[in-house]
Amino acid sequence: MNEIYIKATAPASSPLTTAKLMKTGQTTSYRTGDDPNLATGRATSFSILAANNPFGNTNRFTDELGGSTYTNNIVIDWSTYDGSTVLGWYRLKRPATGSYTWNQAIDNALTFTIGTFTSGWKLANMMEYLSLVNWGNTPANKINYAPFSLVGDFWSSTTDANNTANAFYLINSTTLHVFTTGKTAGINSLFNRVFTVSGTTLS
């Protein structure tokens, strides 16, 4: 009798641990089958991760040192960590007073510097803004929570494909809306950048 040997091989790739969307933040259920009842999404809650970040805690949001001091007003969102990079935000609106046109917002983001992070900043895109929305927040504005506490209108870097003279912006005040308007309008903005993570050092 001839023996047949079967060689087992590992799969070509493993699924990403960050493939699931985050939880919305809603925790009060109003009927079977609604968002809080099903509680779908990654992480324990909107602000608590299911596993430790590289600093050894389960906080979704920390400063660049893994704490909550925010001396440089940088907020790291560990829900975006892919094992080597993570998205971080400058949490104060830009400009501090007044407003930017869309082009001014992009130009100022590209030249923005804070602390030792002197390059790599950009104007946030619309999907990045929406990732910060806590749908369980009881105030009308859904990004009014620590460590952000943001109220106002914010340019995104996302152009309106139906009218390329316009771009999308987020209204986060008495209501939450996504609108599009001409790129010459004066609106605030938020900057973010991708940080490289090596142990507990971000660069």
Side-chain angles (χ1 to χ4, degrees), residues 93-95 97-100 129 152-155 186-190:
K93 69 179 182 179
R94 302 294 298 167
T97 59
S99 60
Y100 287 144
Y129 277 123
D153 302 349
F154 301 95
W155 274 125
I187 298 176
N188 294 130
S189 57
L190 284 183

Side-chain angles (χ1 to χ4, degrees), residues 144 179 182 199:
N144 186 22
F179 281 132

Side-chain angles (χ1 to χ4, degrees), residues 156-171:
S156 80
S157 61
T158 308
T159 291
D160 183 353
N162 291 318
N163 182 350
T164 58
N166 291 358
F168 288 99
Y169 71 103
L170 182 77
I171 295 179

Side-chain angles (χ1 to χ4, degrees), residues 5 9 18 51 58 90 92 103 120 122 127 130 135 139 150 171 194:
Y5 294 92
T9 57
T18 56
T58 57
Y90 183 70
L92 303 182
N103 281 301
K122 62 185 181 61
M127 288 298 287
L130 292 178
W135 299 99
L150 294 166
I171 295 179
V194 174

Side-chain angles (χ1 to χ4, degrees), residues 5 10 15 37 39 50 73 85 98 105 149 152 169 174 178 183 186 192 194 200:
Y5 294 92
N37 172 248
N73 288 304
T85 63
S149 302
Y169 71 103
T174 55
V178 174
K183 294 177 178 178
N192 62 23
V194 174
T200 56

